[in-house]
Amino acid sequence: MAAPLRIQSDWAQALRKDEGEAWLSCHPPGKPSLYGSLTCQGIGLDGIPEITASEGFIVNEINKKSIHISCPKENASSKFLAPYTTFSRVHTKSITCLDISSGGGLGVSSSTDGSMKIWQASNGELRRILEGHVFDVNCCRFFPSGLVVLSGGMDAQLKIWSAEDASCVVTFKGHKGGILDTAIVDRGRNVVSGSRDGTARLWDCGRSACLGVIADCGSSINGVAVGAADNSINLGSPEQTPSEREVGTEAKMLLLAREDKKLQCLGLQSRQPVFLFIGSDAFNCCTFLSGFLLLAGTQDGNIYQLDVRSPRTPVQIIHRSGAPVLSLLSFRDGFIASQGDGSCFIVQQDLDYVIELTGADCDPVYKVATWEKQIYTCCRDGLVRRYQLSDL
Protein backbone atom coordinates (compact mmCIF):
# COMPACT_ATOMS: atom_id res chain seq x y z
CA MET A 1 0.00 0.00 0.00
CA ALA A 2 1.13 3.50 -0.81
CA ALA A 3 2.03 6.03 1.87
CA PRO A 4 -1.01 7.14 3.89
CA LEU A 5 -2.27 10.70 3.44
CA ARG A 6 -3.85 12.54 6.37
CA ILE A 7 -6.01 15.64 6.52
CA GLN A 8 -7.34 18.01 9.17
CA SER A 9 -10.38 16.27 10.70
CA ASP A 10 -12.79 19.20 10.10
CA TRP A 11 -11.45 20.06 6.60
CA ALA A 12 -14.94 20.32 5.06
CA GLN A 13 -15.94 23.13 7.47
CA ALA A 14 -12.53 24.82 7.40
CA LEU A 15 -12.46 25.05 3.59
CA ARG A 16 -15.98 26.45 3.29
CA LYS A 17 -14.90 30.00 4.01
CA ASP A 18 -12.80 32.33 1.89
CA GLU A 19 -9.09 31.84 2.51
CA GLY A 20 -9.94 29.00 4.88
CA GLU A 21 -7.07 26.54 5.36
CA ALA A 22 -6.68 22.89 6.30
CA TRP A 23 -3.45 20.96 6.83
CA LEU A 24 -2.38 17.87 4.88
CA SER A 25 0.37 15.33 5.38
CA CYS A 26 1.86 12.27 3.70
CA HIS A 27 3.63 9.54 5.69
CA PRO A 28 5.86 7.31 3.57
CA PRO A 29 7.12 4.31 5.61
CA GLY A 30 10.70 4.79 6.77
CA LYS A 31 11.01 8.29 5.27
CA PRO A 32 10.34 11.80 6.61
CA SER A 33 6.71 12.91 6.51
CA LEU A 34 5.67 15.58 4.01
CA TYR A 35 3.46 18.43 5.21
CA GLY A 36 1.27 20.77 3.22
CA SER A 37 -1.98 22.71 3.25
CA LEU A 38 -5.16 23.32 1.31
CA THR A 39 -6.54 26.83 0.83
CA CYS A 40 -10.02 27.94 -0.22
CA GLN A 41 -9.91 30.52 -3.03
CA GLY A 42 -13.66 31.17 -2.98
CA ILE A 43 -16.95 29.28 -3.31
CA GLY A 44 -18.35 28.41 -6.74
CA LEU A 45 -21.97 29.03 -7.78
CA ASP A 46 -22.68 25.33 -7.15
CA GLY A 47 -21.62 25.79 -3.51
CA ILE A 48 -18.39 23.83 -4.04
CA PRO A 49 -15.21 25.59 -2.89
CA GLU A 50 -12.27 26.28 -5.19
CA ILE A 51 -9.31 24.65 -3.46
CA THR A 52 -5.58 24.90 -4.14
CA ALA A 53 -2.93 22.67 -2.56
CA SER A 54 0.56 23.65 -1.46
CA GLU A 55 3.65 22.31 -3.22
CA GLY A 56 3.89 18.53 -3.49
CA PHE A 57 0.13 17.91 -3.29
CA ILE A 58 -2.55 17.97 -5.98
CA VAL A 59 -6.33 18.42 -5.67
CA ASN A 60 -7.79 15.99 -8.25
CA GLU A 61 -11.46 16.59 -7.54
CA ILE A 62 -13.70 18.22 -4.95
CA ASN A 63 -17.39 17.89 -4.07
CA LYS A 64 -19.40 19.21 -1.14
CA LYS A 65 -18.48 16.26 1.06
CA SER A 66 -15.38 14.79 -0.57
CA ILE A 67 -11.95 15.83 -1.78
CA HIS A 68 -9.50 13.70 -3.76
CA ILE A 69 -5.83 14.50 -3.04
CA SER A 70 -2.63 13.04 -4.46
CA CYS A 71 1.01 13.26 -3.48
CA PRO A 72 2.78 12.33 -6.75
CA LYS A 73 6.26 12.07 -5.23
CA GLU A 74 5.11 9.19 -3.01
CA ASN A 75 2.56 7.85 -5.52
CA ALA A 76 -0.10 8.29 -2.81
CA SER A 77 -3.75 9.11 -3.45
CA SER A 78 -6.73 9.37 -1.09
CA LYS A 79 -10.31 10.50 -1.38
CA PHE A 80 -11.43 12.06 1.91
CA LEU A 81 -15.13 11.83 2.76
CA ALA A 82 -16.72 14.06 5.42
CA PRO A 83 -19.73 12.78 7.40
CA TYR A 84 -23.13 13.35 5.81
CA THR A 85 -24.57 13.72 9.30
CA THR A 86 -23.46 13.27 12.92
CA PHE A 87 -25.55 11.98 15.83
CA SER A 88 -24.41 13.52 19.11
CA ARG A 89 -27.42 12.75 21.29
CA VAL A 90 -27.43 8.95 21.24
CA HIS A 91 -24.84 8.61 24.05
CA THR A 92 -23.04 10.95 26.44
CA LYS A 93 -19.70 9.10 26.47
CA SER A 94 -17.46 6.91 24.31
CA ILE A 95 -19.43 4.56 22.00
CA THR A 96 -17.79 1.14 21.94
CA CYS A 97 -19.95 -0.76 19.47
CA LEU A 98 -22.72 -0.25 16.92
CA ASP A 99 -24.68 -2.13 14.28
CA ILE A 100 -27.36 -1.31 11.70
CA SER A 101 -30.38 -3.55 11.07
CA SER A 102 -30.68 -5.52 7.81
CA GLY A 103 -33.41 -3.18 6.56
CA GLY A 104 -31.33 -0.10 7.37
CA GLY A 105 -34.01 1.38 9.63
CA LEU A 106 -32.50 0.94 13.08
CA GLY A 107 -29.16 1.29 14.82
CA VAL A 108 -28.04 -0.27 18.09
CA SER A 109 -25.06 0.94 20.11
CA SER A 110 -23.37 0.50 23.47
CA SER A 111 -21.39 3.05 25.42
CA THR A 112 -19.12 3.50 28.43
CA ASP A 113 -21.98 5.60 29.86
CA GLY A 114 -23.34 2.12 30.75
CA SER A 115 -26.21 2.16 28.27
CA MET A 116 -27.25 0.23 25.18
CA LYS A 117 -29.75 1.97 22.92
CA ILE A 118 -31.76 1.42 19.76
CA TRP A 119 -32.19 4.47 17.54
CA GLN A 120 -33.49 5.49 14.17
CA ALA A 121 -30.71 5.13 11.62
CA SER A 122 -31.91 8.08 9.55
CA ASN A 123 -31.73 10.73 12.30
CA GLY A 124 -30.35 9.16 15.48
CA GLU A 125 -33.65 9.56 17.32
CA LEU A 126 -33.87 7.31 20.38
CA ARG A 127 -36.33 4.39 20.12
CA ARG A 128 -35.51 1.97 22.95
CA ILE A 129 -33.12 1.56 25.89
CA LEU A 130 -31.98 -2.02 26.52
CA GLU A 131 -31.43 -2.39 30.27
CA GLY A 132 -30.31 -5.54 32.06
CA HIS A 133 -26.55 -5.96 31.80
CA VAL A 134 -24.52 -5.28 34.94
CA PHE A 135 -21.41 -3.18 34.04
CA ASP A 136 -20.52 -2.17 30.50
CA VAL A 137 -21.83 -3.75 27.33
CA ASN A 138 -18.90 -4.64 25.04
CA CYS A 139 -20.65 -5.74 21.88
CA CYS A 140 -24.09 -5.54 20.29
CA ARG A 141 -25.46 -6.63 16.92
CA PHE A 142 -28.74 -7.27 15.14
CA PHE A 143 -29.85 -10.74 14.12
CA PRO A 144 -30.43 -11.05 10.35
CA SER A 145 -34.17 -10.45 10.91
CA GLY A 146 -33.41 -6.94 12.18
CA LEU A 147 -35.98 -7.38 14.96
CA VAL A 148 -33.73 -8.93 17.59
CA VAL A 149 -30.41 -7.83 19.17
CA LEU A 150 -27.56 -9.92 20.60
CA SER A 151 -25.30 -8.32 23.22
CA GLY A 152 -22.34 -9.36 25.35
CA GLY A 153 -21.14 -7.65 28.50
CA MET A 154 -18.42 -7.42 31.11
CA ASP A 155 -20.86 -9.27 33.38
CA ALA A 156 -20.02 -12.47 31.37
CA GLN A 157 -23.61 -12.59 30.14
CA LEU A 158 -24.87 -12.88 26.60
CA LYS A 159 -28.39 -11.51 26.08
CA ILE A 160 -31.00 -11.52 23.34
CA TRP A 161 -33.42 -8.57 23.14
CA SER A 162 -36.54 -7.67 21.25
CA ALA A 163 -35.88 -4.48 19.28
CA GLU A 164 -39.63 -3.82 19.27
CA ASP A 165 -40.36 -3.66 23.02
CA ALA A 166 -36.81 -3.73 24.52
CA SER A 167 -37.53 -6.88 26.52
CA CYS A 168 -34.67 -9.28 27.23
CA VAL A 169 -35.94 -12.63 25.95
CA VAL A 170 -32.89 -14.83 26.64
CA THR A 171 -29.85 -14.65 28.93
CA PHE A 172 -26.97 -17.08 28.41
CA LYS A 173 -24.73 -17.80 31.38
CA GLY A 174 -21.58 -19.92 31.39
CA HIS A 175 -18.65 -17.65 30.60
CA LYS A 176 -16.35 -16.81 33.52
CA GLY A 177 -15.14 -13.49 32.08
CA GLY A 178 -16.43 -10.55 30.08
CA ILE A 179 -17.74 -11.26 26.57
CA LEU A 180 -15.74 -9.34 23.98
CA ASP A 181 -17.32 -10.35 20.67
CA THR A 182 -20.10 -12.41 19.13
CA ALA A 183 -21.00 -13.95 15.79
CA ILE A 184 -24.35 -15.16 14.48
CA VAL A 185 -24.51 -18.50 12.65
CA ASP A 186 -26.71 -18.34 9.52
CA ARG A 187 -30.16 -17.02 10.43
CA GLY A 188 -29.46 -17.09 14.15
CA ARG A 189 -30.68 -20.37 15.64
CA ASN A 190 -27.13 -20.61 17.03
CA VAL A 191 -24.67 -17.88 18.07
CA VAL A 192 -20.98 -17.84 19.05
CA SER A 193 -19.33 -15.78 21.77
CA GLY A 194 -15.69 -15.05 22.60
CA SER A 195 -14.64 -14.09 26.10
CA ARG A 196 -11.86 -12.84 28.35
CA ASP A 197 -12.00 -16.29 29.98
CA GLY A 198 -10.23 -17.71 26.90
CA THR A 199 -13.18 -19.71 25.58
CA ALA A 200 -15.40 -19.49 22.54
CA ARG A 201 -18.84 -21.00 23.06
CA LEU A 202 -21.68 -22.07 20.79
CA TRP A 203 -25.21 -21.38 22.07
CA ASP A 204 -28.70 -22.60 21.23
CA CYS A 205 -30.99 -19.55 21.15
CA GLY A 206 -34.24 -21.52 21.26
CA ARG A 207 -33.37 -23.33 24.48
CA SER A 208 -30.95 -20.71 25.84
CA ALA A 209 -28.39 -23.45 26.40
CA CYS A 210 -24.67 -23.83 25.70
CA LEU A 211 -24.03 -26.38 22.94
CA GLY A 212 -20.35 -26.59 23.75
CA VAL A 213 -17.02 -24.90 24.29
CA ILE A 214 -15.62 -24.70 20.75
CA ALA A 215 -12.17 -23.54 21.83
CA ASP A 216 -10.39 -23.07 25.14
CA CYS A 217 -7.15 -21.27 24.40
CA GLY A 218 -6.07 -19.85 27.74
CA SER A 219 -5.92 -16.35 26.31
CA SER A 220 -8.53 -13.62 25.98
CA ILE A 221 -10.54 -13.90 22.72
CA ASN A 222 -10.91 -10.33 21.44
CA GLY A 223 -12.71 -11.04 18.17
CA VAL A 224 -14.69 -13.86 16.56
CA ALA A 225 -15.93 -14.42 13.01
CA VAL A 226 -17.91 -17.21 11.34
CA GLY A 227 -17.64 -17.85 7.60
CA ALA A 228 -18.70 -20.42 5.02
CA ALA A 229 -15.69 -22.49 3.94
CA ASP A 230 -14.65 -23.04 0.34
CA ASN A 231 -15.11 -26.70 -0.75
CA SER A 232 -11.34 -27.14 -1.04
CA ILE A 233 -10.79 -26.58 2.71
CA ASN A 234 -10.64 -29.64 4.95
CA LEU A 235 -12.47 -28.79 8.18
CA GLY A 236 -12.07 -32.29 9.69
CA SER A 237 -14.83 -34.42 11.23
CA PRO A 238 -16.46 -34.04 14.64
CA GLU A 239 -15.37 -36.59 17.25
CA GLN A 240 -18.92 -36.89 18.53
CA THR A 241 -22.18 -36.66 16.60
CA PRO A 242 -23.26 -32.99 16.71
CA SER A 243 -26.40 -32.14 18.66
CA GLU A 244 -29.53 -31.82 16.51
CA ARG A 245 -29.81 -28.36 18.09
CA GLU A 246 -26.77 -27.27 16.06
CA VAL A 247 -28.16 -25.53 13.00
CA GLY A 248 -26.01 -24.25 10.14
CA THR A 249 -22.63 -25.08 11.66
CA GLU A 250 -21.51 -27.54 8.96
CA ALA A 251 -18.99 -26.29 6.38
CA LYS A 252 -18.39 -23.20 8.54
CA MET A 253 -15.08 -21.87 9.85
CA LEU A 254 -14.65 -20.09 13.16
CA LEU A 255 -11.91 -17.48 13.41
CA LEU A 256 -10.58 -16.29 16.78
CA ALA A 257 -8.51 -13.12 17.27
CA ARG A 258 -6.54 -13.77 20.44
CA GLU A 259 -4.70 -11.57 22.94
CA ASP A 260 -1.64 -13.88 22.88
CA LYS A 261 -0.74 -12.78 19.29
CA LYS A 262 -2.39 -15.85 17.79
CA LEU A 263 -5.07 -16.08 15.13
CA GLN A 264 -6.85 -19.42 15.35
CA CYS A 265 -9.14 -21.02 12.77
CA LEU A 266 -11.20 -24.15 13.34
CA GLY A 267 -14.14 -26.03 11.95
CA LEU A 268 -17.25 -24.78 13.74
CA GLN A 269 -19.02 -28.14 13.65
CA SER A 270 -15.94 -30.36 13.74
CA ARG A 271 -14.12 -28.33 16.44
CA GLN A 272 -10.95 -29.45 14.59
CA PRO A 273 -8.01 -27.07 13.99
CA VAL A 274 -7.61 -25.56 10.52
CA PHE A 275 -4.60 -23.31 11.25
CA LEU A 276 -2.88 -21.26 13.94
CA PHE A 277 -1.08 -18.11 12.79
CA ILE A 278 1.27 -16.07 14.99
CA GLY A 279 1.21 -12.30 14.41
CA SER A 280 3.27 -9.32 15.54
CA ASP A 281 1.05 -8.38 18.50
CA ALA A 282 -2.32 -9.11 20.10
CA PHE A 283 -5.09 -9.67 17.51
CA ASN A 284 -8.07 -7.35 18.12
CA CYS A 285 -10.46 -8.19 15.29
CA CYS A 286 -11.00 -10.50 12.32
CA THR A 287 -13.37 -11.04 9.41
CA PHE A 288 -13.82 -13.30 6.38
CA LEU A 289 -13.63 -11.79 2.90
CA SER A 290 -14.58 -15.02 1.07
CA GLY A 291 -14.63 -18.80 1.50
CA PHE A 292 -10.84 -18.78 1.84
CA LEU A 293 -9.63 -15.17 2.33
CA LEU A 294 -9.66 -13.44 5.69
CA LEU A 295 -8.38 -10.32 7.45
CA ALA A 296 -7.16 -9.86 11.00
CA GLY A 297 -5.92 -6.71 12.74
CA THR A 298 -3.38 -6.31 15.52
CA GLN A 299 -2.71 -3.95 18.40
CA ASP A 300 0.42 -2.59 16.65
CA GLY A 301 -1.39 -1.56 13.45
CA ASN A 302 -0.94 -4.55 11.13
CA ILE A 303 -3.77 -5.86 8.95
CA TYR A 304 -2.94 -9.40 7.84
CA GLN A 305 -4.66 -10.83 4.79
CA LEU A 306 -4.42 -14.62 4.88
CA ASP A 307 -5.49 -17.45 2.59
CA VAL A 308 -6.88 -20.37 4.62
CA ARG A 309 -5.51 -22.78 1.98
CA SER A 310 -1.92 -21.64 2.64
CA PRO A 311 -2.00 -19.60 5.86
CA ARG A 312 1.71 -19.67 6.73
CA THR A 313 2.64 -16.70 4.58
CA PRO A 314 0.25 -13.71 4.49
CA VAL A 315 -1.13 -12.67 1.09
CA GLN A 316 -0.28 -9.14 2.24
CA ILE A 317 0.30 -7.10 5.39
CA ILE A 318 -1.18 -3.61 5.35
CA HIS A 319 0.38 -1.18 7.81
CA ARG A 320 -0.73 2.45 7.72
CA SER A 321 0.14 3.51 11.27
CA GLY A 322 1.16 1.94 14.56
CA ALA A 323 -2.30 2.58 16.03
CA PRO A 324 -4.34 -0.49 17.05
CA VAL A 325 -6.62 -1.93 14.38
CA LEU A 326 -10.01 -1.90 16.13
CA SER A 327 -12.48 -3.13 13.51
CA LEU A 328 -12.49 -4.83 10.12
CA LEU A 329 -15.48 -5.28 7.85
CA SER A 330 -15.81 -6.90 4.44
CA PHE A 331 -17.25 -4.31 2.03
CA ARG A 332 -18.02 -4.77 -1.69
CA ASP A 333 -14.81 -6.17 -3.22
CA GLY A 334 -12.63 -4.86 -0.39
CA PHE A 335 -12.87 -3.91 3.24
CA ILE A 336 -13.26 -1.09 5.79
CA ALA A 337 -10.81 -0.77 8.69
CA SER A 338 -10.76 1.55 11.70
CA GLN A 339 -7.88 2.34 14.03
CA GLY A 340 -7.07 3.82 17.41
CA ASP A 341 -5.74 7.08 15.95
CA GLY A 342 -9.14 8.03 14.49
CA SER A 343 -8.44 6.79 10.98
CA CYS A 344 -11.13 4.85 9.17
CA PHE A 345 -10.57 3.83 5.57
CA ILE A 346 -11.99 1.80 2.71
CA VAL A 347 -9.79 -0.26 0.41
CA GLN A 348 -11.36 -1.46 -2.86
CA GLN A 349 -9.66 -3.74 -5.37
CA ASP A 350 -10.60 -1.67 -8.41
CA LEU A 351 -9.68 1.74 -6.94
CA ASP A 352 -6.14 3.08 -7.08
CA TYR A 353 -6.86 5.35 -4.12
CA VAL A 354 -7.98 4.82 -0.54
CA ILE A 355 -11.28 6.32 0.69
CA GLU A 356 -10.76 7.94 4.10
CA LEU A 357 -13.77 8.56 6.36
CA THR A 358 -12.87 11.76 8.21
CA GLY A 359 -14.21 13.59 11.24
CA ALA A 360 -12.66 11.83 14.22
CA ASP A 361 -9.77 13.90 15.58
CA CYS A 362 -7.30 11.30 16.97
CA ASP A 363 -10.12 9.59 18.90
CA PRO A 364 -10.33 5.82 18.32
CA VAL A 365 -13.03 4.66 15.90
CA TYR A 366 -14.20 1.43 17.54
CA LYS A 367 -16.68 -0.02 15.08
CA VAL A 368 -18.06 0.37 11.58
CA ALA A 369 -21.40 -0.82 10.18
CA THR A 370 -22.83 -0.47 6.68
CA TRP A 371 -26.18 -0.48 4.98
CA GLU A 372 -26.24 -0.19 1.20
CA LYS A 373 -24.35 3.05 0.41
CA GLN A 374 -24.29 4.29 3.99
CA ILE A 375 -21.50 3.76 6.47
CA TYR A 376 -21.87 4.34 10.21
CA THR A 377 -18.96 4.66 12.65
CA CYS A 378 -18.79 5.01 16.43
CA CYS A 379 -16.02 6.76 18.26
CA ARG A 380 -14.52 7.57 21.65
CA ASP A 381 -15.70 11.17 21.20
CA GLY A 382 -19.28 9.95 21.78
CA LEU A 383 -20.43 10.55 18.19
CA VAL A 384 -22.06 8.30 15.62
CA ARG A 385 -21.10 9.48 12.13
CA ARG A 386 -23.04 8.57 9.02
CA TYR A 387 -21.30 8.75 5.64
CA GLN A 388 -23.04 8.67 2.30
CA LEU A 389 -20.98 6.90 -0.38
CA SER A 390 -23.08 8.56 -3.03
CA ASP A 391 -21.34 11.77 -1.84
CA LEU A 392 -18.25 10.49 -3.64
Side-chain angles (χ1 to χ4, degrees):
M1 293 233 348
L5 290 170
R6 304 217 170 99
I7 198 168
Q8 187 172 314
S9 60
D10 62 348
W11 63 270
Q13 286 92 350
L15 296 174
R16 251 192 221 124
K17 39 189 185 287
D18 237 346
E19 296 183 14
E21 279 199 341
W23 60 260
L24 267 180
S25 58
C26 179
H27 303 266
K31 290 200 239 166
S33 297
L34 305 166
Y35 296 94
S37 62
L38 299 169
T39 308
C40 174
Q41 306 295 346
I43 310 286
L45 293 173
D46 51 8
I48 293 169
E50 303 264 329
I51 304 294
T52 54
S54 60
E55 197 183 339
F57 295 92
I58 294 171
V59 179
N60 302 313
E61 188 191 2
I62 179 156
N63 295 313
K64 277 188 181 164
K65 294 280 184 188
S66 73
I67 187 166
H68 185 178
I69 307 280
S70 296
C71 175
K73 182 174 174 241
E74 293 301 335
N75 195 21
S77 187
S78 286
K79 190 171 264 194
F80 297 99
L81 183 61
Y84 176 75
T85 179
T86 300
F87 305 147
S88 56
R89 295 201 306 276
V90 179
H91 293 283
T92 54
K93 286 187 182 167
S94 172
I95 305 173
T96 48
C97 194
L98 95 166
D99 194 25
I100 301 295
S101 65
S102 52
L106 295 176
V108 64
S109 54
S110 58
S111 165
T112 57
D113 64 15
S115 70
M116 177 167 43
K117 296 177 179 178
I118 292 175
W119 35 274
Q120 228 160 296
S122 57
N123 58 12
E125 204 171 288
L126 183 65
R127 296 294 293 273
R128 297 277 178 266
I129 299 179
L130 306 180
E131 291 176 309
H133 277 288
V134 192
F135 313 128
D136 282 356
V137 180
N138 290 328
C139 47
C140 52
R141 67 169 68 238
F142 283 99
F143 277 78
S145 68
L147 304 171
V148 188
V149 168
L150 176 68
S151 66
M154 283 313 275
D155 56 6
Q157 295 185 59
L158 195 63
K159 288 179 178 283
I160 296 177
W161 311 77
S162 158
E164 293 169 305
D165 65 4
S167 60
C168 176
V169 286
V170 174
T171 299
F172 298 110
K173 293 182 179 175
H175 277 296
K176 309 258 185 308
I179 293 163
L180 300 177
D181 199 15
T182 62
I184 291 172
V185 183
D186 275 1
R187 290 178 45 214
R189 301 266 297 272
N190 294 172
V191 298
V192 176
S193 57
S195 163
R196 276 195 164 167
D197 65 14
T199 67
R201 291 171 180 255
L202 182 70
W203 305 87
D204 172 0
C205 296
R207 289 195 181 154
S208 59
C210 182
L211 290 168
V213 175
I214 309 281
D216 187 350
C217 55
S219 170
S220 185
I221 298 172
N222 296 324
V224 298
V226 170
D230 187 76
N231 296 337
S232 61
I233 295 162
N234 178 15
L235 296 178
S237 308
E239 285 166 17
Q240 296 146 344
T241 311
S243 154
E244 78 283 355
R245 301 293 301 175
E246 271 194 39
V247 183
T249 56
E250 64 277 40
K252 298 280 195 315
M253 299 176 282
L254 174 64
L255 195 57
L256 306 176
R258 294 169 29 174
E259 185 68 23
D260 61 1
K261 305 187 185 182
K262 290 176 182 152
L263 183 70
Q264 179 180 1
C265 182
L266 21 82
L268 182 55
Q269 189 186 67
S270 70
R271 326 282 207 256
Q272 301 296 321
V274 176
F275 73 79
L276 188 67
F277 177 84
I278 299 172
S280 56
D281 202 347
F283 280 99
N284 290 332
C285 50
C286 54
T287 191
F288 286 100
L289 295 176
S290 72
F292 52 84
L293 282 178
L294 61 92
L295 292 176
T298 61
Q299 185 66 15
D300 60 356
N302 285 326
I303 298 173
Y304 290 89
Q305 185 178 357
L306 299 181
D307 187 325
V308 180
R309 299 165 303 185
S310 55
R312 282 196 171 153
T313 312
V315 179
Q316 62 170 337
I317 302 173
I318 296 166
H319 185 93
R320 291 169 51 86
S321 82
V325 181
L326 300 176
S327 77
L328 289 165
L329 182 64
S330 171
F331 182 69
R332 298 189 184 169
D333 61 354
F335 66 90
I336 309 177
S338 73
Q339 291 186 264
D341 57 2
S343 71
C344 184
F345 58 94
I346 309 174
V347 174
Q348 299 268 267
Q349 275 174 353
D350 57 346
L351 293 184
D352 56 358
Y353 55 85
V354 176
I355 298 170
E356 303 267 357
L357 304 179
T358 62
D361 187 6
C362 302
D363 275 306
V365 175
Y366 290 114
K367 197 81 178 173
V368 181
T370 61
W371 183 75
E372 293 188 348
K373 285 190 163 181
Q374 296 171 34
I375 300 176
Y376 295 78
T377 65
C378 67
C379 181
R380 190 175 67 187
D381 61 15
L383 300 177
V384 171
R385 292 178 174 86
R386 177 163 78 110
Y387 300 84
Q388 201 84 20
L389 278 192
S390 47
D391 284 346
L392 292 168

